[in-house]
Amino acid sequence: MLDIGLAKIYPYIVHHLESNMLINNYQHGFRKGSSCLTNLLTFLDKVVGCLDTGDDVDVVFLDFAKAFDKVPHQRLILKLESHGITGKLLSWITNWLTNRKQRVCINGIKSSWIWVLSGVPQGSVLGPILFLIYINDLDSGIKNWILKFADDTRIFGAIKNTDDQCMMQKDLNTLLQWTKEWQMLFNVEKCKVMHLGRNNMQYDYTLDNTLLDTVSVEKDLGTVL
């Protein structure tokens, strides 16, 4: 019954977030009027604009490790409060998230029950919007462009000199710090760099002291870039 009730209030939560412009416009996932297409078109427009003026572009594709499963419940509740979701509604969502257990059954053999302390229930109507709220401030303080489709995140910018390269690296450090503070770590081995432009200096970038691999082709949001 609780799941059904939360499904009914989903439109009101979305209306609250959108009418008060609480979700950053860089997020294109699970939002009316936004999609993979709007994300990719925005990316293409900015990149082509830079290349047309002779500027090189560096793109970093970021990958969260099991993103939807890693959202800590208590920290998510704090994020909900900061987005103006309080009172009985917050209590309902808290009750829906907490006091859950799970176990694994293989060939009739069952594991012990364990408490579920993180993750937004996938397949639920509220799961995606709760995730958007949780990572909404990921791009806070970022100087370069950043685009998100749920957990798929891409940061990119014109790189004219070492100052621009240093700014990109600083942004990556800022993002890394956010992931550690909010317990949503990157899968660094799957994070990639793409260098665009004829005169691109192909600077190296790191995450958590790990040199990121450089690629010439990357599949992103179902499209090969």
Side-chain angles (χ1 to χ4, degrees):
M1 292 298 293
L2 183 58
D3 288 340
I4 295 174
L6 288 172
K8 290 182 177 179
I9 62 174
Y10 168 81
Y12 298 99
I13 295 176
V14 172
H15 176 73
H16 165 73
L17 295 172
E18 296 292 354
S19 63
N20 291 288
M21 296 181 288
L22 296 175
I23 299 296
N24 195 303
N25 285 330
Y26 294 141
Q27 175 62 259
H28 289 247
F30 307 112
R31 302 181 66 194
K32 185 177 180 179
S34 297
S35 62
C36 290
L37 181 60
T38 60
N39 182 299
L40 291 168
L41 288 176
T42 301
F43 173 69
L44 181 64
D45 178 67
K46 292 185 180 298
V47 169
V48 170
C50 289
L51 297 178
D52 282 347
T53 57
D55 293 332
D56 298 319
V57 177
D58 283 349
V59 186
V60 181
F61 300 92
L62 300 168
D63 185 89
F64 283 103
K66 299 181 180 179
F68 281 75
D69 295 328
K70 292 292 186 179
V71 177
H73 291 161
Q74 293 304 314
R75 293 171 183 248
L76 172 58
I77 292 168
L78 292 176
K79 295 269 190 169
L80 292 172
E81 288 183 295
S82 71
H83 285 72
I85 298 174
T86 58
K88 290 184 178 180
L89 177 54
L90 181 63
S91 296
W92 290 339
I93 296 175
T94 300
N95 290 336
W96 179 65
L97 288 172
T98 56
N99 297 319
R100 290 175 178 262
K101 292 182 179 181
Q102 65 181 16
R103 66 179 177 180
V104 178
C105 180
I106 301 177
N107 296 327
I109 301 175
K110 300 176 182 178
S111 69
S112 300
W113 287 100
I114 61 170
W115 290 104
V116 178
L117 303 177
S118 65
V120 290
Q122 298 187 51
S124 65
V125 67
L126 274 188
I129 197 66
L130 294 181
F131 183 80
L132 296 194
I133 291 172
Y134 194 77
I135 67 166
N136 192 38
D137 63 345
L138 171 67
D139 47 333
S140 179
I142 300 303
K143 302 301 181 184
N144 285 283
W145 291 311
I146 188 169
L147 287 170
K148 297 178 284 187
F149 186 90
D151 60 320
D152 289 305
T153 304
R154 188 192 315 112
I155 182 172
F156 58 103
I159 308 296
K160 305 175 185 178
N161 48 48
T162 55
D163 288 341
D164 293 333
Q165 184 266 342
C166 288
M167 182 59 69
M168 177 65 76
Q169 183 60 62
K170 184 177 179 181
D171 281 349
L172 291 174
N173 295 342
T174 299
L175 291 170
L176 180 65
Q177 184 62 33
W178 185 97
T179 66
K180 291 184 175 181
E181 289 179 357
W182 292 99
Q183 299 178 359
M184 286 279 295
L185 300 181
F186 289 129
N187 186 342
V188 177
E189 292 183 356
K190 291 187 177 181
C191 297
K192 309 293 182 182
V193 179
M194 181 180 289
H195 302 289
L196 303 173
R198 294 181 179 179
N199 301 310
N200 198 299
M201 297 299 292
Q202 300 197 18
Y203 294 108
D204 290 331
Y205 296 100
T206 63
L207 264 179
D208 208 14
N209 299 316
T210 300
L211 182 66
L212 297 182
D213 290 337
T214 299
V215 296
S216 57
V217 175
E218 181 71 6
K219 188 174 182 181
D220 186 48
L221 298 181
T223 301
V224 177
L225 301 176

